Amino acid sequence: MSNPDAHIRSLDEVGRVMIPSHMREVLGWKPGSRLEIVMDSAAPSIHIRQAVPRCSLCGKESEGLQIVANGLICPECARQIH
Ligand SMILES: [Zn+2]
C-alpha cells in the first residue's frame, strides 16, 4: 500500500533527512521548531511531530503547566505534591 503523499528521500551520512518544504509550510514548522521523534519498533517506523510541553513528572501533555524548579509540572502533579 503506497501513500500518494509519500516522498522518497535519502538519509545523509549523519542521519539527516530533508522534510519537503510544502509539508513544513502546512505544519508550520520553521527552522528552530522543536520536533518530537518517536520510534515504533513494531512497525518499524518513526513518527515526527511538533514537540509539545509535557509535565516533567508524569510526562502528560497538559493545559496549565507551571514552571517549578526549571521543570514543568501539570496541575494534577502539583496537587499531589501539596
Ligand atoms: Zn504531571
Side-chain angles (χ1 to χ4, degrees):
M1 121 184 111
S2 73
N3 181 336
D5 292 329
H7 294 261
I8 305 296
R9 293 286 187 266
S10 295
L11 202 61
D12 78 5
E13 60 280 349
V14 294
R16 294 176 294 203
V17 64
M18 197 277 293
I19 299 169
S21 62
H22 77 275
M23 290 183 179
R24 286 181 273 134
E25 288 167 15
V26 167
L27 296 168
W29 294 0
K30 297 179 169 36
S33 288
R34 304 276 298 160
L35 303 177
E36 182 175 80
I37 303 169
V38 178
M39 185 172 75
D40 178 353
S41 54
S45 63
I46 63 168
H47 304 267
I48 304 172
R49 67 178 189 175
Q50 183 95 38
V52 292
R54 294 175 183 274
C55 176
S56 301
L57 296 179
C58 69
K60 290 181 193 163
E61 297 173 19
S62 174
E63 298 288 324
L65 292 172
Q66 307 166 35
I67 298 172
V68 177
N70 294 328
L72 294 172
I73 307 293
C74 73
E76 187 177 331
C77 287
R79 266 194 302 276
Q80 290 177 8
I81 290 170
H82 289 294

